């Protein structure tokens, strides 16, 4: 276990509330919200990205409903709850399996059901998994005299793991729909129901019969239920924050600014009074090692999302600042032709703005960790150059521009395109533009770089310590046209007062050669 120098225990990957509390791990107190949630007695659904604390939240609810008062000593809920009671809790965790076959899902349901059936002595009554689940709920109620609490963790994991297999998706959908629908029929016996997942999409249709669920994924009152706010981080981890600042030779404020740039920025509500949320897994990992890194992204790659982008030929340049209707983010009908809502729910995009008049969201990457992690991962799917080769190219690109070696930069960019297999390079003009976009965006990890996002801007601008480069690319056009456009449109005007050397770069791109043609450099 990684700990800081003062040996305080950071709860990285700890999903058991009982273990966290009994073994002395640090805890960001969410129990006031847990109390409010549990005592409303409504059935709830919450969507949050992976590694955001959903499993720990369900474990906390489980401990509360099991009446384990001793685990909550010193927490907010201790002052709120005056009458601790023990309820029968059925906790279904779908996190672990690979879900590569129908048998995999059936085995986990079988394992859970057998444990519950032994506990409540049902005798295995019922033929189907759903029938047995209904019997367990009824028997638990009858045996304990108290209504039942049902907690479902990562309800959608089987569906997300099988998106490549339509037949398996259909099997999983039918099995899970029947299983979850029991929760509506068993309402008389239920005290509380809470279901979590990454997405609300059942591509699925799993929720078609569960219209009683109260989706709190966008509710401001439960905005901070998962994740961490700056106030919570400073209050709970002050010694670790100070140690990290010291190790990185930064002031406390500069260190926290970097922590914010890397891991903050998640917004889960349209309300203006929202608290920006930090990714808890990344923050804890960074504090544990006293080092900034791509912890969340490295803990799981979004292969199914990038595959979806490829299938739909989605233009990656549109991901930042994309506008979507509110309905598309909360609807439970996934649309394979529109990958953005699923990318949002998976945590790779977040809410940047909300237009109340048109009920419309503007989305973007939440922070630097997600942006560069996603673009680095996506690059080989679009270029396709191996991930390590992409990193090699980007490092060389940056060094050459920092030294003012524009000719070498363009020669290397030409080699980058030449490495793309011919049969994979028979693409549209937009595809080439996406490749340019990826190259310049990925350079932004190391220097300031901007790719055109509005009319009246050059295709790309790169700032180094000594140079400002303005690039204009012309598909089947001339270099003279590119330079003339830079001059006529006044692309250099915003930088004329800057002391750095200004460099204009006009490049022609040949559709026939599928590569850079001629270029002109003027500085």
């Amino acid at each position: 276990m990684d700990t800081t120098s003062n040996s305080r225990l950071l709860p990285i990957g700890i999903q058991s509330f009982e273990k966290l509390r009994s073994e002395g791990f640090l805890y960001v107190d969410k129990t006031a919200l847990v109390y409010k949630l549990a005592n409303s007695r409504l059935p709830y659904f919450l969507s949050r990205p992976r590694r955001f604390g959903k499993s720990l939240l369900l474990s906390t609810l489980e401990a509360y409903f099991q009446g384990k008062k001793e685990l909550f000593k010193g927490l907010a809920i201790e002052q709120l709850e005056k009458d601790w009671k023990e309820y029968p809790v059925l906790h279904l965790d779908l996190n672990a399996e690979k879900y590569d076959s129908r048998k995999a899902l059936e085995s986990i349901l079988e394992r859970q059901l057998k444990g519950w059936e032994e506990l409540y002595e049902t005798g295995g009554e019922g033929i189907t998994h759903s029938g047995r689940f209904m019997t367990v709920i009824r028997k638990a109620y009858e045996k304990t005299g108290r209504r039942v609490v049902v907690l479902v963790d990562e309800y959608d994991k089987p569906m997300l793991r099988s998106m490549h297999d339509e037949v398996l998706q259909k099997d999983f959908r039918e099995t899970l729909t029947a299983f979850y629908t029991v929760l509506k029929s068993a309402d008389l016996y239920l005290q509380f129901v809470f279901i979590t997942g990454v997405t609300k999409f059942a591509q699925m249709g799993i929720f078609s019969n569960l219209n009683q669920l109260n989706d709190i994924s966008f509710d401001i009152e439960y905005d901070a239920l998962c994740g961490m706010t700056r106030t919570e981080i400073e209050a709970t981890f002050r010694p670790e924050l100070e140690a990290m600042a010291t190790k990185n030779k930064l002031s406390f404020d500069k260190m926290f600014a970097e922590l914010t740039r890397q891991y903050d920025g998640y917004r889960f509500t349209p309300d203006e009074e929202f608290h920006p949320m930090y990714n808890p897994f990344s923050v804890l990992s960074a504090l544990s090692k006293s080092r900034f890194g791509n912890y969340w992204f490295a803990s799981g790659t979004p292969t199914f999302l990038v595959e979806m982008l490829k299938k739909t030929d989605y233009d990656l340049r549109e991901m930042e600042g994309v506008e979507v209707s509110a309905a598309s983010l909360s609807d439970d009908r996934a649309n394979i032709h529109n990958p953005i809502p699923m990318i949002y729910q998976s945590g790779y995009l977040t809410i940047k703005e909300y237009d109340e008049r048109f009920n419309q969201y503007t989305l973007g990457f939440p922070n630097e960790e997600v942006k560069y992690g996603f673009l680095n991962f996506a690059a080989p799917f679009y270029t396709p150059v191996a991930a390590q080769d992409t990193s090699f190219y980007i490092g060389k690109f940056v060094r050459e521009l920092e030294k003012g070696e524009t000719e070498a930069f363009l020669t290397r960019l030409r080699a980058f395109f030449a490495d793309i297999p011919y049969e994979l390079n028979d693409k549209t003009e937009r595809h080439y533009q996406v490749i340019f976009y990826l190259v310049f965006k990925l350079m932004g990890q190391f220097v300031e770089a901007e790719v055109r996002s509005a009319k009246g801007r050059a295709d790309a601008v790169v700032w180094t310590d000594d140079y400002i480069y303005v690039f204009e690319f012309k598909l089947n056009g001339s270099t003279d046209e590119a330079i003339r456009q830079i001059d006529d449109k006044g692309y250099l005007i915003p930088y004329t007062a800057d002391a750095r050397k200004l460099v204009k770069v006009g490049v022609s791109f040949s559709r026939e050669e599928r590569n850079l043609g001629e270029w002109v450099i003027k500085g």
Side-chain angles (χ1 to χ4, degrees):
M1 170 65 64
D2 286 313
T3 60
T4 53
S5 57
N6 61 5
S7 297
R8 301 204 317 163
L9 294 171
L10 297 174
I12 303 170
I14 303 297
Q15 299 181 352
S16 165
F17 182 72
E18 184 165 353
K19 177 179 179 178
L20 185 148
R21 295 293 290 165
S22 62
E23 297 186 12
F25 286 88
L26 296 174
Y27 175 61
V28 173
D29 190 354
K30 303 286 187 178
T31 60
L33 286 173
V34 166
Y35 178 81
K36 180 179 180 180
L37 193 69
N39 282 275
S40 69
R41 301 187 183 182
L42 297 173
Y44 287 108
F45 171 76
L46 177 69
S47 164
R48 284 294 183 268
R50 60 184 175 80
R51 310 309 292 264
F52 241 80
K54 300 187 298 296
S55 296
L56 179 59
L57 172 63
L58 260 65
S59 181
T60 309
L61 284 162
E62 181 176 20
Y64 169 73
F65 279 111
Q66 288 175 337
K68 295 182 177 179
K69 181 179 179 180
E70 70 282 0
L71 296 178
F72 294 89
K73 187 173 178 59
L75 299 179
I77 204 169
E78 185 182 34
Q79 305 300 318
L80 297 169
E81 182 57 80
K82 306 302 181 186
D83 185 22
W84 290 85
K85 294 178 182 178
E86 183 179 353
Y87 294 88
V89 178
L90 305 179
H91 187 168
L92 175 63
D93 184 357
L94 296 179
N95 236 325
E97 294 291 326
K98 290 184 178 179
Y99 299 112
D100 53 3
S101 67
R102 180 168 186 160
K103 186 177 179 181
L105 176 58
E106 290 177 343
S107 67
I108 197 169
L109 294 179
E110 186 69 27
R111 190 161 62 247
Q112 293 270 350
L113 284 166
K114 280 187 175 179
W116 296 336
E117 287 166 344
E118 289 175 12
L119 182 61
Y120 297 110
E121 302 172 331
T122 70
E125 183 182 330
I127 299 172
T128 63
H129 286 137
S130 53
R132 289 163 63 190
F133 187 31
M134 182 67 185
T135 302
V136 166
I137 292 173
R138 179 171 53 81
K139 288 283 189 178
Y141 170 69
E142 292 171 353
K143 186 175 180 181
T144 63
R146 292 234 166 94
R147 289 192 175 91
V148 179
V149 172
V150 176
L151 307 173
V152 182
D153 194 10
E154 303 287 8
Y155 90 95
D156 54 349
K157 184 62 69 70
M159 305 302 294
L160 294 178
R161 287 285 174 88
S162 61
M163 290 192 69
H164 62 285
D165 187 331
E166 290 184 17
V167 174
L168 198 55
Q169 280 261 308
K170 185 173 183 292
D171 282 346
F172 284 172
R173 181 167 56 248
E174 290 174 353
T175 301
L176 291 172
T177 299
F179 198 80
Y180 294 141
T181 299
V182 169
L183 298 175
K184 189 166 188 177
S185 308
D187 187 56
L188 175 65
Y189 308 115
L190 296 174
Q191 174 73 12
F192 182 75
V193 173
F194 196 91
I195 298 175
T196 74
V198 169
T199 71
K200 192 185 174 181
F201 300 117
Q203 182 149 350
M204 296 184 189
I206 287 175
F207 283 149
S208 57
N209 295 321
L210 283 180
N211 52 13
Q212 84 275 26
L213 284 177
N214 180 20
D215 184 0
I216 58 171
S217 303
F218 291 87
D219 290 8
I220 184 67
E221 59 183 323
Y222 294 116
D223 184 41
L225 196 55
C226 293
M228 298 177 184
T229 65
R230 174 166 183 153
T231 301
E232 290 173 330
I233 294 169
E234 288 200 79
T236 311
F237 306 108
R238 186 78 191 196
E240 290 75 20
L241 291 165
E242 290 174 348
M244 187 168 180
T246 299
K247 184 172 181 180
N248 288 274
K249 298 178 181 178
L250 297 170
S251 68
F252 185 88
D253 288 343
K254 284 187 176 179
M255 187 282 303
F256 216 111
E258 182 64 16
L259 203 73
T260 299
R261 192 173 71 89
Q262 292 282 351
Y263 310 127
D264 189 20
Y266 293 90
R267 176 178 175 180
F268 301 114
T269 175
D271 297 84
E272 289 298 327
E273 62 269 28
F274 76 99
H275 300 288
M277 301 303 297
Y278 289 73
N279 185 316
F281 182 77
S282 294
V283 168
L284 290 173
S285 298
L287 292 179
S288 170
K289 299 176 186 300
S290 288
R291 187 172 64 246
F292 297 103
N294 293 331
Y295 300 108
W296 179 77
F297 202 92
S299 70
T301 51
T303 307
F304 77 94
L305 292 176
V306 178
E307 289 288 359
M308 187 182 293
L309 291 174
K310 283 181 64 182
K311 283 181 182 178
T312 57
D313 194 26
Y314 188 81
D315 190 338
L316 276 185
R317 296 172 300 166
E318 296 179 7
M319 279 187 66
E320 287 190 279
V322 63
E323 294 182 347
V324 297
S325 68
S328 72
L329 296 190
S330 58
D331 198 347
D332 64 359
R333 294 166 295 181
N335 181 357
I336 192 68
H337 301 295
N338 180 17
I340 290 300
M342 189 168 282
I343 291 173
Y344 161 78
Q345 293 198 355
S346 299
Y348 301 99
L349 293 175
T350 196
I351 297 168
K352 293 294 185 181
E353 296 177 13
Y354 175 63
D355 188 326
E356 186 174 7
R357 182 184 178 195
F358 297 107
N359 202 19
Q360 198 167 58
Y361 292 107
T362 300
L363 306 180
F365 292 114
N367 51 49
E368 300 286 273
E369 179 191 25
V370 175
K371 176 166 71 174
Y372 293 121
F374 189 89
L375 294 176
N376 270 304
F377 186 76
F381 289 82
Y382 283 81
T383 48
V385 175
Q388 60 270 27
D389 291 339
T390 304
S391 300
F392 169 81
Y393 274 115
I394 297 302
K396 294 289 187 181
F397 287 150
V398 170
R399 290 189 186 97
E400 284 157 354
L401 290 186
E402 285 178 335
K403 294 175 183 177
E405 297 172 354
T406 320
E407 190 81 26
F409 167 82
L410 292 166
T411 302
R412 191 176 301 280
L413 188 59
R414 177 184 279 162
F416 184 78
F417 276 89
D419 275 352
I420 300 173
Y422 183 88
E423 66 274 11
L424 295 176
N425 203 3
D426 188 15
K427 298 288 185 178
T428 63
E429 174 181 350
R430 188 179 70 179
H431 185 81
Y432 301 127
Q433 291 169 337
V434 168
I435 295 175
F436 283 126
Y437 168 85
L438 278 168
V439 167
F440 283 100
K441 281 308 249 188
L442 288 172
M443 285 172 59
Q445 298 166 86
F446 312 104
V447 293
E448 288 188 78
E450 181 181 88
V451 189
R452 182 173 61 191
S453 57
K455 291 181 179 179
R457 306 280 285 279
D459 283 335
V461 180
V462 177
W463 296 262
T464 71
D465 288 344
D466 300 313
Y467 300 91
I468 297 177
Y469 298 89
V470 177
F471 291 87
E472 188 66 31
F473 296 92
K474 285 293 181 186
L475 187 72
N476 282 352
S478 71
T479 55
D480 287 344
E481 289 175 321
I483 294 293
R484 188 160 57 247
Q485 183 167 328
I486 292 173
D487 293 335
D488 291 348
K489 297 285 186 179
Y491 294 157
L492 284 175
I493 292 173
Y495 318 115
T496 49
D498 198 290
R500 285 171 285 190
K501 183 177 180 181
L502 303 182
V503 181
K504 296 183 288 189
V505 185
V507 183
S508 67
F509 192 94
S510 169
R511 183 184 282 116
E512 290 73 25
E513 295 295 324
R514 296 173 173 80
N515 210 324
L516 275 67
E518 298 178 335
W519 55 69
V520 171
I521 303 165
K522 293 192 175 184

